[in-house]
Amino acid sequence: MRSPVDLRAVGAAGVVGAAGAAGPVPRSTQRGPSPAWTPAGRAARGGAPAAPRTDRISLRLPARLNIDDWLNIGQALTATADSAVWWLGDWLVYGQDRFPERYRHAIDGTSLDYQTLRNYAWIARKFPPDRRRPGLSMQHHAEVAAMPPALQDMWLDRAGAAGWSRNELRRRIRAGAASAPSGPTSPADTELRLPVSVERHRRWEAAARRADRDLSHWIIEALDSAAGPGASPNSAPTQDH
């Protein structure tokens, strides 16, 4: 287990400071003023609250912490968690491109869930860094990832301006689809859900792993293959299955 470290080393501001020598600050970490417990935050406040302490599996807060400092710590932790999934996605994209033959074996050697990681990588590819909204989570981006880019931008802009949660964004998208005029829809506008047995789901997942594909990609490719010439694949992994 790692030795306890100052939370500043893992909070959003601390991560940015550590990464600054290696490259530009990721947009997804730029969330506003420095938390009160960071050096910049303490300088702005003129105080020096005791720093939280962390190790790999715990966060230890000072015995006497005021509500503002407690809230600032939570906001920094949330920002770091939001950023971490983007970092994982970009890390996976690099591995897929740089080590295509060894990528899957390397991922199997970690404790991370393969399907979840594939979803992170898919979303990261859909949204290059310059198209990501730092005020919205990866889950917001996942809700619109299967849409054409213009619609992605429209919904993300609305969500950012109105401060919608991921669930509110999903509700608005569904309400918009329900009120849209009837007519032909593109594959990107259609969501297909099928009830399947647990055993069938396991067999499909096993087949997808053998093909080195995530389950959603594998299902779409199998259906397109069965449909014959003229099918147009539109891969879109889901966040839950």
Side-chain angles (χ1 to χ4, degrees):
M1 182 179 296
R2 297 177 184 173
S3 300
V5 294
D6 193 319
L7 183 59
R8 287 169 295 182
V10 296
V15 170
V16 172
V25 175
R27 289 180 59 193
S28 55
T29 63
Q30 299 171 359
R31 296 300 183 100
S34 300
W37 45 269
T38 63
R42 289 203 306 270
R45 285 177 42 138
R53 305 286 291 180
T54 68
D55 57 35
R56 185 172 178 82
I57 59 172
S58 68
L59 168 67
R60 281 165 284 182
L61 300 172
R64 297 182 181 276
L65 195 65
N66 66 43
I67 185 69
D68 291 334
D69 289 336
W70 176 76
L71 286 172
N72 284 327
I73 290 170
Q75 290 167 357
L77 290 172
T78 300
T80 301
D82 287 346
S83 298
V85 291
W86 284 116
W87 298 336
L88 272 172
D90 291 335
W91 172 72
L92 290 158
V93 168
Y94 182 92
Q96 289 171 341
D97 295 342
R98 181 71 175 81
F99 314 110
E101 296 83 10
R102 293 181 288 171
Y103 165 81
R104 176 60 191 270
H105 179 72
I107 294 300
D108 285 344
T110 73
S111 61
L112 303 172
D113 178 71
Y114 182 69
Q115 179 65 37
T116 299
L117 293 179
R118 287 296 295 261
N119 287 342
Y120 289 165
W122 180 74
I123 298 165
R125 282 192 188 277
K126 283 285 187 177
F127 293 96
D130 60 356
R131 293 194 60 231
R132 299 171 190 173
R133 272 52 170 189
L136 300 175
S137 69
M138 176 181 275
Q139 296 305 315
H140 284 85
H141 292 74
E143 291 297 321
V144 302
M147 298 179 179
L151 285 179
Q152 292 174 348
D153 291 336
M154 181 192 76
W155 283 111
L156 291 176
D157 287 344
R158 289 182 180 179
W164 293 341
S165 66
R166 188 280 305 269
N167 289 342
E168 179 64 13
L169 173 59
R170 177 182 294 180
R171 189 187 72 78
R172 297 274 183 156
I173 292 171
R174 290 177 176 175
S179 62
S182 59
T185 60
S186 70
D189 298 326
T190 303
E191 181 176 301
L192 180 63
R193 292 180 178 271
L194 295 173
V196 298
S197 67
V198 172
E199 178 57 31
R200 175 170 286 169
H201 184 263
R202 288 173 178 167
R203 287 192 287 110
W204 288 357
E205 283 194 322
R209 285 194 297 270
R210 288 194 296 272
D212 195 22
R213 305 292 284 167
D214 67 67
L215 181 59
S216 297
H217 276 90
W218 181 84
I219 291 173
I220 290 171
E221 290 172 356
L223 291 174
D224 282 335
S225 176
S232 299
N234 183 28
S235 302
T238 58
Q239 290 301 297
D240 43 40
H241 56 278

